[in-house]
Amino acid sequence: MLLVTALASIFSVIAVYYAIMEKNLVRAVVFSAIQSTIYAFIYYMLMAPDIVLVYIPVAVGLYPAVILILISKTEKVEKQ
Amino acid sequence: MKHVLGLIIILLFIIGFSLVLTVAGNYILPSQEIRSLAKYYLYLAYNPWHRNFTVMSPEAVTSIVWDFRGLDTVFETAVFYLAIIGSIALGRGIVKYSKPSGKLGLSLIVKTVTRISAVMIIAVAASIALHGHLTPGGGFQGGATAAVAPLLILIIFSHYYLLEKGVTKDLMLFLRSLGLTGIGIVAIIVYLMALPQGIHAYVLQNQPKPDSSIGLPAYIDGQLISGTLWFFNISEFFAVMAGFTIVFLLITIPERAFKKEEEVERQ
């Protein structure tokens, strides 16, 4: 159980790395949402179902959607 | 800069992974013993044999959030309310904008799927909020889940569809204020009940306490409602759901609604 959680957290680090390095902002939000999904899974593994229930709608649903709406009002690709 | 950041993250990754492999098993594993404060919380969350101390809710997290540390949660809700007020202040001075002609929103398939799933989302959210004192969940969780439904409708059907259906900023602000007023009233309801009887009671009191024999009933018609917890959860549900919906309504306002005002100012 602990090993699965540790592996999930390592995958979340990879997702965070891609979310930071990605120049295409829409893709970066998708990577961020993947990281949130893994975090929700980790919370479930750590037996915190209350946090899972608030994390799934906020971090997987509402937050990426809000960021996507904001990106649609600006530019899709980050410039140097 | 790009490479330095990448390098730091990769190094942290390698160090962290090595730590897990070598020493974590000995040092970082959480203790198997429950701390004494946690023992009291678990012992008193639902305990009909200690009616002067218990919350009468089998959900320990909700017991802590709305009873043992209820004042924190009231202030959290107040902070969230102020944040929404701030975003409404940012979206002030919007001129009336008309609905653009032509077809709005995404395809018919997506719209049909959303028609079904939005109802299901609301049902799940209501279940999370109303059973918050029995199973994991509560007012904030339910409210955040319910807010996904108006967000889906906003994106898939368009901003104007929601406004035409009557879900306006003013209605949501009313619901939100109603929720917050509900929380305020439930926080002092036991005190108000005790006042005519000449008994003293506390703010945010739920069940009877050793020096205050009054409290809200834990059961209504045989159903466990855990006194104030059920009312807190339903008030919080409306407050959070309406609060998020206001923000979504504000950020999907088309930019021309703001531009028009600037043009008027220039003239």
Side-chain angles (χ1 to χ4, degrees), chain B residues 190-199 214:
Chain B
V190 177
Y191 173 74
L192 293 178
M193 280 162 64
L195 213 55
Q197 298 177 36
I199 314 167
I214 198 163

CSV table of all heavy atoms in Angstrom, one decimal, chain B residues 190-199 214:
chain,number,residue,atom,x,y,z
B,190,VAL,N,-28.8,27.4,20.0
B,190,VAL,CA,-28.9,26.8,21.3
B,190,VAL,C,-29.0,27.9,22.4
B,190,VAL,O,-29.7,27.8,23.3
B,190,VAL,CB,-27.8,25.8,21.5
B,190,VAL,CG1,-27.8,25.2,22.9
B,190,VAL,CG2,-27.8,24.7,20.5
B,191,TYR,N,-28.2,28.9,22.2
B,191,TYR,CA,-28.2,30.0,23.1
B,191,TYR,C,-29.5,30.7,23.1
B,191,TYR,O,-30.1,31.0,24.2
B,191,TYR,CB,-27.1,31.0,22.7
B,191,TYR,CG,-27.1,32.3,23.5
B,191,TYR,CD1,-26.6,32.3,24.8
B,191,TYR,CD2,-27.6,33.5,22.9
B,191,TYR,CE1,-26.7,33.5,25.5
B,191,TYR,CE2,-27.6,34.6,23.7
B,191,TYR,CZ,-27.2,34.7,25.0
B,191,TYR,OH,-27.2,35.8,25.7
B,192,LEU,N,-30.1,30.9,21.9
B,192,LEU,CA,-31.4,31.5,21.8
B,192,LEU,C,-32.5,30.7,22.5
B,192,LEU,O,-33.5,31.1,23.1
B,192,LEU,CB,-31.8,31.8,20.4
B,192,LEU,CG,-30.9,32.9,19.6
B,192,LEU,CD1,-31.3,33.0,18.2
B,192,LEU,CD2,-31.1,34.2,20.3
B,193,MET,N,-32.4,29.3,22.3
B,193,MET,CA,-33.3,28.4,22.9
B,193,MET,C,-33.2,28.4,24.5
B,193,MET,O,-34.2,28.3,25.2
B,193,MET,CB,-33.1,26.9,22.4
B,193,MET,CG,-33.6,26.6,21.1
B,193,MET,SD,-32.9,25.2,20.4
B,193,MET,CE,-33.4,23.9,21.5
B,194,ALA,N,-32.0,28.6,25.0
B,194,ALA,CA,-31.8,28.6,26.4
B,194,ALA,C,-32.2,29.9,27.1
B,194,ALA,O,-32.5,29.9,28.3
B,194,ALA,CB,-30.3,28.3,26.7
B,195,LEU,N,-32.2,31.0,26.3
B,195,LEU,CA,-32.4,32.3,26.9
B,195,LEU,C,-33.8,32.4,27.6
B,195,LEU,O,-33.8,32.8,28.8
B,195,LEU,CB,-32.3,33.3,25.8
B,195,LEU,CG,-31.8,34.7,26.2
B,195,LEU,CD1,-30.5,34.6,26.9
B,195,LEU,CD2,-31.8,35.6,25.0
B,196,PRO,N,-34.9,32.0,27.0
B,196,PRO,CA,-36.2,32.1,27.7
B,196,PRO,C,-36.3,31.2,29.0
B,196,PRO,O,-37.0,31.4,29.9
B,196,PRO,CB,-37.3,31.7,26.7
B,196,PRO,CG,-36.6,31.5,25.4
B,196,PRO,CD,-35.1,31.4,25.6
B,197,GLN,N,-35.5,30.1,28.9
B,197,GLN,CA,-35.6,29.1,30.1
B,197,GLN,C,-34.7,29.5,31.2
B,197,GLN,O,-34.6,28.8,32.2
B,197,GLN,CB,-35.2,27.7,29.6
B,197,GLN,CG,-36.2,27.2,28.5
B,197,GLN,CD,-35.8,25.8,28.0
B,197,GLN,OE1,-35.3,25.0,28.8
B,197,GLN,NE2,-36.0,25.6,26.7
B,198,GLY,N,-33.9,30.5,31.0
B,198,GLY,CA,-33.0,31.0,32.1
B,198,GLY,C,-31.7,30.1,32.2
B,198,GLY,O,-31.1,30.1,33.3
B,199,ILE,N,-31.5,29.2,31.2
B,199,ILE,CA,-30.3,28.4,31.3
B,199,ILE,C,-29.2,29.1,30.5
B,199,ILE,O,-29.4,29.7,29.5
B,199,ILE,CB,-30.5,27.0,30.7
B,199,ILE,CG1,-31.9,26.4,31.2
B,199,ILE,CG2,-29.4,26.0,31.0
B,199,ILE,CD1,-32.3,25.2,30.4
B,214,ILE,N,-29.1,22.1,27.8
B,214,ILE,CA,-29.9,22.2,26.6
B,214,ILE,C,-29.0,21.9,25.4
B,214,ILE,O,-27.8,22.1,25.4
B,214,ILE,CB,-30.5,23.7,26.6
B,214,ILE,CG1,-31.6,23.7,25.6
B,214,ILE,CG2,-29.4,24.7,26.2
B,214,ILE,CD1,-32.5,24.9,25.8
